[in-house]
Amino acid sequence: MSEKTKYELEFVVQSSPQLLYQYISTPSGLSEWFADNVNSRGELFTFIWDDSEEEAKLLSKKSGERIKFRWTEDEDEGNDYFFELRIQVDEITKDVSLMVTDYSEEDEMSESKMLWDNMISNLKQVLGSA
């Protein structure tokens, strides 16, 4: 398997950081935009789409600020890839951005970024900020 490349995306979101955090850190919030359904048992989150299921381990979270996961498949293979959702607030304008950090193989980079574009678009609709 080829090496994955780290990338970061920034999405401006019209939302309070507190509300946004609920949508990126709780199973019920994540199931509104990230997956069809999300369950968690402790630090293990199960993401369910149509007919597929992926598990991710919660690596870290800082209340109101960020959450970081690693797919168990990556962990099983000994990879230290992760994806992180981080809320950033501009000190002057108070604009709220959601920073997405993820990894992708070079030849899948544009598809990966497009997937995040679509998912964050769903999130914005749920938040009423589209």
Side-chain angles (χ1 to χ4, degrees):
M1 181 137 128
S2 61
E3 280 290 301
K4 292 184 179 181
T5 304
K6 183 178 181 177
Y7 65 93
E8 190 167 274
L9 303 171
E10 179 176 358
F11 299 93
V12 176
V13 181
Q14 312 290 307
S15 168
S16 72
Q18 297 80 8
L19 180 63
L20 183 54
Y21 186 73
Q22 293 303 310
Y23 279 97
I24 66 170
S25 65
T26 64
S28 60
L30 286 162
S31 63
E32 296 261 348
W33 66 277
F34 189 81
D36 297 331
N37 196 5
V38 181
N39 300 312
S40 72
R41 284 188 320 281
E43 58 187 31
L44 206 58
F45 281 63
T46 305
F47 296 91
I48 301 159
W49 294 272
D50 292 335
D51 50 2
S52 70
E53 200 172 286
E54 294 276 337
E55 284 197 333
K57 184 177 179 185
L58 175 65
L59 295 179
S60 65
K61 73 181 190 178
K62 185 170 182 188
S63 188
E65 202 172 291
R66 63 182 161 77
I67 188 154
K68 186 192 266 188
F69 293 101
R70 175 173 299 135
W71 296 114
T72 51
E73 184 183 326
D74 282 329
E75 189 154 285
D76 294 345
E77 293 171 2
N79 295 322
D80 53 7
Y81 304 128
F82 62 87
F83 69 97
E84 181 180 58
L85 302 169
R86 191 173 82 248
I87 299 168
Q88 192 168 290
V89 181
D90 185 291
E91 299 216 355
I92 297 164
T93 65
K94 299 295 179 211
D95 286 345
V96 176
S97 293
L98 183 62
M99 307 299 292
V100 175
T101 304
D102 200 357
Y103 291 81
S104 176
E105 292 178 24
E106 277 302 324
D107 60 346
E108 295 175 358
M109 188 65 74
S110 60
E111 288 93 340
S112 297
K113 289 180 177 179
M114 211 172 351
L115 181 63
W116 278 111
D117 276 343
N118 290 336
M119 295 214 295
I120 302 301
S121 175
N122 292 344
L123 173 61
K124 286 179 175 182
Q125 287 193 312
V126 168
L127 289 166
S129 88

